[in-house]
Amino acid sequence: MEEVPAAPNEGISLSALRSQFSVNGEEGPKYGFDGSRYHYGDGTSVASQNSSQILTGYDTLDVGPNYDFYANTNALGRVRRSRPSLFQLHSNIEVSSTHLASRQHTCNILIDTPGDSSEDDVEEPQSEPTRFGWVKGVMIRCMLNIWGVILYLRLPWITAQAGIGLTWVIILLSSCITGITGLSTSAIATNGRVKGGGTYFLISRSLGPELGGSIGLIFAFANAVAVAMHTVGFAETVQALMQESGASIVDPINDIRIIGVITVTCLLAISLAGMEWEAKAQVLFFIVILVSFANYIVGTIIPATPQKQAKGFFSYQADIFAENFVPNWRGPEGNFFGMFSIFFPSATGILAGANISGDLKDPTVAIPRGTLMAIFWTTLSYLIIAATIGACLVRDASGIMNDTLAMSSADSCQGLACQYGWDFTDCITNRTCTYGLSNQYQSMSLVSGFAPLITAGIFGATLSSALACLVSAPKVFQCLCKDNLYPVIGFFGKGNGKNDEPIRGYVLAYIIAVCFVLIAELNTIAPIISNFFLCSYALINFSCFHASITNSPGWRPSFRFYSKWMSLLGAVVSVIIMFLLTWWAALIAIGIVIFLLGYVLYKRPSVNWGSSVQAGSYNMALSYCVSLNQVDDHIKNYRPQCLVLTGPPSCRPALVDFVGTFTKNLSLMICGNVVTGGPSPATLDTASSNSHVTWLNKRQIKSFYHGVVANDLRTGVKMLLQGAGLGRIRPNVLLTGFKRDWRKDKPSCIDNYIGILHDAFDLQYGVCVLRMREGLDVFRQAQTHVDPDAMMTEPQPQPSTVFQSQQGKKTIDVYWLFDDGGLTLLLPYLLTRKKRWARCKVRVFVGGDIQRKEEQRKEVMDLISKFRLGFHDVEVLPDINARPQPEHVRRFEDLIGPYRINTAQKDGHVTAEQLNQDCPWMVSDEEIETNKPKTLRQIRLNEVLQDYSRDAAIIFVTMPVGRRGQCPSALYMAWLETLSRDLRPPVLLVRGNQENVLTFYCQ
């Protein structure tokens, strides 16, 4: 046998690749695949151009599942493979040998043959950019952003006002809001690959460009201003230290400005040095803060000196803890919400890790794990500090060494310090105490073992937060610029270096930060920043809720620990807190969002991200169908919209129940009925009878009904295929029952039945054929395709079917033998989302080679895991390539025998042209021989189904495609019969239209 390249993406004649054992069961060689070539028993082989695909085991243009078919990008140094189109598989294309040389270019396939490639054709691999894991990239970054000035300078004072108990409530309430947002962020971040752009990317790809663009611009600006806020906090601390030493540059306000500008410039230099240097600086700040915490804890244990006792510190005392556990409100802001508004900005750093999503090794793992761990550890640290400092320090102290109990009368002594030999009655009465929890912001420095380490902690917290914001703002802004939602700003989207660093964005963020540093007033800018962050939290939570409530098949986050109702609660609470903190700042933030939203709605940018807004529009059905015409199709929002050839729906309840199971509340279902005959009032009434809709409503099937009148069945189905639906709400999958009586029916009826499948393929439909052992028709006399005059138009009884019952812990067996775009996997997934099928275990079977069984299994497992379908049981079937049993081959021969060309026809009494025209269903010896590998495949596959899936709840099998003009209708019908016969479970033969319906990308 001559070696001939077998290109899976081109139509070629298979006669040169014919197997050497015949359909009558004569002995012949087995055929298989070793990963790079097809091997036959006589030692010959056929070179394959798709060495890493999962194999089908016989000569075919059809190919098994492959990662490249779903990937948007290509690995450096090799050409990405592509799935053969439905046209290539289905149409009758004869390719001469002169075309073989051009197949490599046409199919985009890299042939692993010496001399086929040159050094010029292969790109040099570039150096891998710096990528961070979940600890360094997310957890540490978030913790540094959460730990800030509030922790060191305000938490002790809040504890004095609200008491330890209510302070814990404030901390836990804040953590609940950030925790819910963290869960929502994790869900969105694991619903596909997350690129750079952080919060903006997550919101825009979930809610669409309208809200995503507005909040992205606001969030980037807020991060730039936050750089100024944290820098001013640092500058104020430095200026206070200088003042204590009697040093000054100009005056206090200008000193803050000078120190702030110098600091921002240094932070810009660190950022421009690259993400690796920035990450190292963050780790250094993290260590400094941990050391300051340890220093504080050690200080609480060390016995108090007289100097510290004079300032109210007495180490751990149960009486002090009890006294400080209850509130003691003071001043105009002395209330719960006043303290909450002061504390909450400290919890707004949970998105620091998500904002550099493009620099993470695996964002889908790093963002959930790092963000949630950061929230947990920072919450724990806040709770510990509030409890420990409240157990060591009294609320009021004078700091005067002479205010001891020995110097005054014990009877007139006020305050808890009296029990420890100190009398602070005068300053308590006159409200002149300068020390104690209620009066001194630097309480942590007093309690600590070595006060300068607390100052170092303040420096580390402020500088790390400023650095994180300085990195986040350009990253988010860069992604926004690249999407071209707003004019002018595209200039700042250009990236540089291997990490695509937004140098122009850094400079812009630096200019904004310097402008706000010159204000040198924290209380002016902090409220607006907090409200912008809260606005982002509200939209993230709403994004998660909206994506969940639309019930889109594209919403499949691998992170499961979230609740759509908790996300909604988080969104509502975030908006409420915006107004509780500063109502005017909340109005400003919401006003800006509305203005930017209106601009994007007016401009209508040409972007399509598969957002949940689009999915929600689908659920609004006809009322919003016109608006859907302006939205391009997207894989994430793909739904199997089924045109079901039921005839009168009451005649095939099992078919109706099965399709209704996975389309209910999810996608379109149209029950199609073809009434044969000429147009007349009677036939029109029969086709449009309301009794069919009444029957569907009684059965609680959410489906449309569409009846047409045509001269014959095939013409009527063509009308349904091209005319059913409205706008984007139109069928893309044809689902019909298996024709059980094909051997008893007229051959022309077989040709029409197979012709319907060909027509569906021609119109780019996916095709499904359902076969049940007991059949589908419950009223044989009502089969409109055979006897339209006897069709019943009145509502029929509601017979029960297997698809209405609980399936228990059975298995759903999926034989994903050829890659059709993923429809074979998507339908079982949708089935398992329903309560009746939820306990069923999905098993996926693929063809393969025994020598590469584990390797191929791992490849398919990796591919399926990227789709987030939850299928964990994959089995490679090497024995699928074995030769079928001789008795089964003879059984097939008997099946096809009546449709073979007889001796008289072979002798030339009837010309080939007349035969093809008059009897297109007849099968010649040449056609038997040409299609022999596929024939043997169907026979062997039925044996495999009998062995593996005898007790399954349902079987999904990739349906073979018969090439028009080369596979007669009788032969194709015999394939379908052989593949699905004698099986107890229902069998669904599935073939997508070779276009992707699954994706592992976020966009």
Side-chain angles (χ1 to χ4, degrees), residues 583-656:
W583 64 268
W584 55 267
L587 291 177
I588 291 175
I590 294 175
I592 294 176
V593 170
I594 293 175
F595 173 78
L596 296 175
L597 171 64
Y599 175 81
V600 177
L601 287 173
Y602 172 77
K603 187 182 178 183
R604 293 190 179 278
S606 56
V607 296
N608 181 25
W609 298 325
S611 68
S612 59
V613 171
Q614 298 169 11
S617 298
Y618 181 94
N619 291 339
M620 299 305 292
L622 294 178
S623 60
Y624 285 93
C625 189
V626 175
S627 66
L628 285 177
N629 289 332
Q630 304 174 16
V631 180
D632 293 331
D633 292 330
H634 196 283
I635 301 174
K636 282 168 57 181
N637 287 337
Y638 173 86
R639 301 167 187 255
Q641 303 180 111
C642 298
L643 172 61
V644 192
L645 300 183
T646 59
S650 58
C651 293
R652 295 173 179 83
L655 186 60
V656 172

Side-chain angles (χ1 to χ4, degrees), residues 201-224:
F201 188 88
L202 295 178
I203 297 177
S204 62
R205 269 54 177 181
S206 295
L207 283 180
E210 297 84 6
L211 283 172
S214 57
I215 203 61
L217 197 59
I218 288 175
F219 190 77
F221 179 76
N223 271 280

Side-chain angles (χ1 to χ4, degrees), residues 197-200 216 219-220 355 471-481:
T199 306
Y200 161 70
F219 190 77
N355 286 336
V471 171
S472 298
K475 294 283 186 182
V476 174
F477 193 59
Q478 181 186 35
C479 184
L480 178 64
C481 294

Side-chain angles (χ1 to χ4, degrees), residues 21-22 31 884 889 932-941:
F21 57 94
S22 67
Y31 52 93
V889 176
K932 183 191 303 179
K934 278 194 175 182
T935 298
L936 295 173
R937 173 69 170 207
Q938 313 315 319
I939 300 172
R940 176 56 189 158
L941 184 55

Side-chain angles (χ1 to χ4, degrees), residues 33 35 50-54 65-66 68 78 81 852 859:
F33 193 90
N50 199 359
S51 59
S52 64
Q53 71 180 34
I54 304 304
N66 194 287
D68 279 356
R78 72 179 183 87
R81 288 180 291 273
R852 298 180 61 237
E859 290 175 1

Side-chain angles (χ1 to χ4, degrees), residues 622-937:
L622 294 178
S623 60
Y624 285 93
C625 189
V626 175
S627 66
L628 285 177
N629 289 332
Q630 304 174 16
V631 180
D632 293 331
D633 292 330
H634 196 283
I635 301 174
K636 282 168 57 181
N637 287 337
Y638 173 86
R639 301 167 187 255
Q641 303 180 111
C642 298
L643 172 61
V644 192
L645 300 183
T646 59
S650 58
C651 293
R652 295 173 179 83
L655 186 60
V656 172
D657 289 341
F658 171 69
V659 181
T661 300
F662 62 82
T663 61
K664 185 177 182 181
N665 298 327
L666 175 72
S667 62
L668 175 69
M669 175 181 174
I670 299 178
C671 292
N673 181 21
V674 178
V675 179
T676 55
S680 67
T683 54
L684 289 175
D685 289 342
T686 300
S688 58
S689 173
N690 288 331
S691 61
H692 305 303
V693 177
T694 302
W695 185 88
L696 290 169
N697 291 337
K698 285 185 177 180
R699 203 169 183 84
Q700 296 182 340
I701 298 293
K702 294 191 176 182
S703 170
F704 294 98
Y705 168 82
H706 194 171
V708 296
V709 177
N711 292 329
D712 59 80
L713 172 64
R714 185 172 179 181
T715 302
V717 175
K718 278 186 178 179
M719 295 166 60
L720 288 172
L721 289 172
Q722 298 184 74
L726 183 64
R728 297 288 177 191
I729 307 178
R730 62 173 181 260
N732 52 31
V733 175
L734 176 70
L735 204 146
T736 184
F738 181 79
K739 186 174 178 61
R740 297 181 69 207
D741 62 346
W742 68 277
R743 283 167 290 178
K744 300 177 183 179
D745 209 343
K746 294 181 295 185
S748 59
C749 293
I750 302 174
D751 194 61
N752 282 337
Y753 180 84
I754 298 302
I756 290 172
L757 305 185
H758 284 303
D759 294 338
F761 286 138
D762 288 340
L763 294 171
Q764 293 296 303
Y765 272 64
V767 176
C768 299
V769 178
L770 178 65
R771 183 174 187 179
M772 298 182 65
R773 189 171 187 177
E774 62 275 15
L776 295 171
D777 297 341
V778 295
F779 300 107
R780 295 300 180 94
Q781 71 274 19
Q783 294 180 8
T784 60
H785 302 161
V786 179
D787 186 6
D789 295 332
M791 186 182 61
M792 304 173 67
T793 59
E794 293 300 320
Q796 300 301 322
Q798 299 285 337
S800 60
T801 66
V802 65
F803 299 112
Q804 291 179 312
S805 58
Q806 293 288 339
Q807 300 300 317
K809 294 185 178 180
K810 298 180 182 178
T811 62
I812 298 175
D813 289 352
V814 182
Y815 289 81
W816 196 24
L817 306 177
F818 307 108
D819 200 311
D820 61 351
L823 185 64
T824 309
L825 288 182
L826 182 62
L827 293 182
Y829 167 75
L830 296 178
L831 209 60
T832 57
R833 291 174 60 169
K834 303 302 180 181
K835 185 177 181 180
R836 293 172 187 162
W837 298 82
R839 300 177 65 192
C840 290
K841 177 183 179 182
V842 178
R843 302 189 299 177
V844 180
F845 298 88
V846 295
D849 186 78
I850 192 169
Q851 295 164 348
R852 298 180 61 237
K853 182 175 180 180
E854 281 304 313
E855 179 184 350
Q856 292 172 346
R857 179 183 176 277
K858 186 177 183 300
E859 290 175 1
V860 178
M861 276 293 298
D862 290 343
L863 177 60
I864 293 178
S865 67
K866 292 180 185 299
F867 293 139
R868 312 174 308 282
L869 297 171
F871 301 167
H872 304 295
D873 192 350
V874 174
E875 186 166 351
V876 177
L877 302 172
D879 57 345
I880 202 171
N881 303 327
R883 180 163 45 88
Q885 297 295 323
E887 60 269 23
H888 295 155
V889 176
R890 285 192 294 269
R891 185 176 177 184
F892 179 86
E893 285 189 315
D894 296 337
L895 191 67
I896 200 65
Y899 304 95
R900 299 286 293 271
I901 297 177
N902 57 37
T903 305
Q905 293 167 331
K906 289 181 181 179
D907 292 341
H909 296 285
V910 180
T911 64
E913 290 77 13
Q914 289 176 329
L915 185 65
N916 288 334
Q917 184 176 359
D918 300 335
C919 305
W921 53 83
M922 297 301 289
V923 187
S924 66
D925 292 341
E926 291 77 16
E927 288 167 337
I928 289 287
E929 187 67 11
T930 299
N931 292 284
K932 183 191 303 179
K934 278 194 175 182
T935 298
L936 295 173
R937 173 69 170 207

Side-chain angles (χ1 to χ4, degrees), residues 315-547:
S315 192
Y316 289 111
Q317 301 293 337
D319 292 339
I320 297 178
F321 181 86
E323 176 76 16
N324 290 335
F325 192 82
V326 296
N328 185 8
W329 306 115
R330 300 182 185 181
E333 65 275 340
N335 56 73
F336 180 83
F337 286 107
M339 294 300 105
F340 184 86
S341 65
I342 294 172
F343 174 82
F344 187 77
S346 67
T348 57
I350 63 170
L351 298 177
N355 286 336
I356 62 162
S357 55
D359 297 300
L360 301 175
K361 292 179 181 177
D362 188 355
T364 59
V365 174
I367 292 176
R369 187 178 299 175
T371 302
L372 296 177
M373 288 297 290
I375 293 173
F376 172 78
W377 288 116
T378 53
T379 301
L380 187 63
S381 65
Y382 277 124
L383 293 174
I384 291 175
I385 291 174
T388 53
I389 202 164
C392 298
L393 201 62
V394 296
R395 284 191 169 100
D396 297 293
S398 64
I400 301 174
M401 294 294 296
N402 291 330
D403 284 349
T404 60
L405 198 58
M407 305 292 294
S408 62
S409 173
D411 296 335
S412 59
C413 184
Q414 296 182 20
L416 198 61
C418 301
Q419 301 179 22
Y420 308 108
W422 293 86
D423 184 6
F424 303 134
T425 304
D426 289 341
C427 74
I428 293 174
T429 304
N430 301 324
R431 298 184 181 275
T432 57
C433 295
T434 56
Y435 292 95
L437 277 180
S438 297
N439 307 294
Q440 185 188 24
Y441 291 147
Q442 299 284 347
S443 297
M444 286 186 66
S445 298
L446 170 65
V447 173
S448 66
F450 186 59
L453 286 179
I454 297 297
T455 303
I458 296 174
F459 289 171
T462 53
L463 292 178
S464 63
S465 297
L467 185 59
C469 292
L470 185 59
V471 171
S472 298
K475 294 283 186 182
V476 174
F477 193 59
Q478 181 186 35
C479 184
L480 178 64
C481 294
K482 288 183 176 180
D483 286 336
N484 294 319
L485 299 181
Y486 301 103
V488 181
I489 65 174
F491 172 80
F492 298 99
K494 187 178 184 300
N496 301 90
K498 62 182 182 180
N499 266 36
D500 196 31
E501 295 290 345
I503 303 298
R504 297 173 180 175
Y506 282 128
V507 174
L508 178 63
Y510 170 78
I511 294 173
I512 295 174
V514 168
C515 291
F516 278 86
V517 164
L518 295 178
I519 297 176
E521 180 56 54
L522 283 177
N523 294 337
T524 303
I525 56 180
I528 298 178
I529 293 176
S530 297
N531 276 277
F532 282 163
F533 282 133
L534 276 168
C535 194
S536 302
Y537 293 174
L539 282 173
I540 288 177
N541 285 308
F542 184 73
S543 299
C544 182
F545 167 75
H546 196 269

